Amino acid sequence: MSSVYCALVHHPVVDRQGEEVTTSVTNLDVHDIARSARTYGLRGYFVVSPIEAQHPVVQRIVDHWCSGAGKHRFPERGEAIALVRLCSSIDHAIAEIEATEGKTPRLVVTSAKSGRNRISYAEEAERLRSESRPTLLLFGTGHGLADRVLQRADAFLEPIQGPTDFNHLSVRAAVAITLDRLFAVKSSANNPI
Ligand SMILES: C[S@@+](CC[C@H](N)C(=O)[O-])C[C@H]1O[C@@H](n2cnc3c(N)ncnc32)[C@H](O)[C@@H]1O
């Protein structure tokens, strides 16, 4: 089984016009994605931002829930937030995984857009079960991951699609759905007793 990590990338991502930009870190993304990561057994959640001035904001959230007042009131929240790793680039996240796991992670990217060479969730789930290398799942902010990130990927997951043509999931929802599709435990609710 692969050790799986996720990263929320604030740079390089693109804006509505397709220009490369850096987005701001948001409190909700730190919280909610950490909780999904903990629920589905990820080893770490990297918040990738080159803006050093934003790092103390994330660090304050981590400290509040992991060692501050929040730890005593909601210890389970601290357990999730403890997965958060702050770093300034995707390469730093890769280096941290290499240092921990002793192997370079596979990069798996996500996007709302369909296109060539996408792989299904079933294929990726199967791969994760047999893979000895760690895996880093990359999620974008803004209007998605920059092409130069997508081009580095070892695998590109197919987009999540509902039955409508509305294609504007929040990244928090996209992370939770992706993790559920990759790691969900089969329900026995409909099985005869
Ligand atoms: C606000 S969305 C960006 C949407 C962008 N137009 C794109 O093509 O990815 C931010 C991130 O959420 C994830 N995401 C959003 N919708 C998704 C979908 N339908 N399928 C897979 N990932 C999605 C991707 O990681 C994406 O980079």
Side-chain angles (χ1 to χ4, degrees):
M1 180 76 192
S2 182
S3 297
V4 183
Y5 297 77
C6 70
L8 182 64
V9 177
H10 295 87
H11 180 87
V13 292
V14 293
D15 66 10
R16 191 181 282 272
Q17 283 74 39
E19 297 296 323
E20 228 175 71
V21 292
T22 303
T23 58
S24 297
V25 169
T26 71
N27 189 340
L28 263 184
D29 287 341
V30 176
H31 275 274
D32 289 7
I33 294 176
R35 290 160 80 160
S36 296
R38 176 68 184 90
T39 302
Y40 289 95
L42 269 53
R43 299 291 173 93
Y45 160 33
F46 292 92
V47 176
V48 179
S49 171
I51 308 176
E52 297 287 333
Q54 300 217 323
H55 288 199
V57 177
V58 179
Q59 196 56 52
R60 264 204 306 279
I61 298 171
V62 172
D63 292 345
H64 175 78
W65 293 107
C66 292
S67 50
K71 180 181 177 192
H72 303 290
R73 285 178 53 221
F74 298 105
E76 68 287 350
R77 195 124 9 137
E79 204 179 310
I81 299 278
L83 291 173
V84 174
R85 314 264 181 275
L86 251 174
C87 63
S88 52
S89 70
I90 294 172
D91 285 311
H92 284 154
I94 292 171
E96 202 172 316
I97 296 172
E98 283 171 345
T100 308
E101 306 278 342
K103 289 177 185 161
T104 302
R106 288 171 65 235
L107 297 184
V108 177
V109 295
T110 58
S111 166
K113 296 192 189 97
S114 49
R116 292 181 329 123
N117 301 325
R118 305 298 199 265
I119 66 160
S120 71
Y121 293 89
E123 267 175 278
E124 180 57 23
E126 183 56 41
R127 181 75 188 251
L128 292 175
R129 282 191 283 276
S130 59
E131 177 65 56
S132 62
R133 279 180 300 163
T135 299
L136 177 58
L137 301 171
L138 295 173
F139 296 90
T141 53
H143 282 256
L145 295 164
D147 275 350
R148 63 186 169 110
V149 177
L150 300 176
Q151 281 158 11
R152 286 179 71 175
D154 296 289
F156 198 151
L157 280 170
E158 64 186 344
I160 298 157
Q161 277 174 315
T164 71
D165 60 1
F166 189 88
N167 185 14
H168 301 282
L169 284 173
S170 71
V171 68
R172 295 184 297 284
V175 172
I177 294 168
T178 301
L179 297 184
D180 192 68
R181 288 185 177 185
L182 295 176
F183 301 109
V185 173
K186 286 207 174 64
S187 164
S188 57
N190 294 325
N191 290 349
I193 298 171

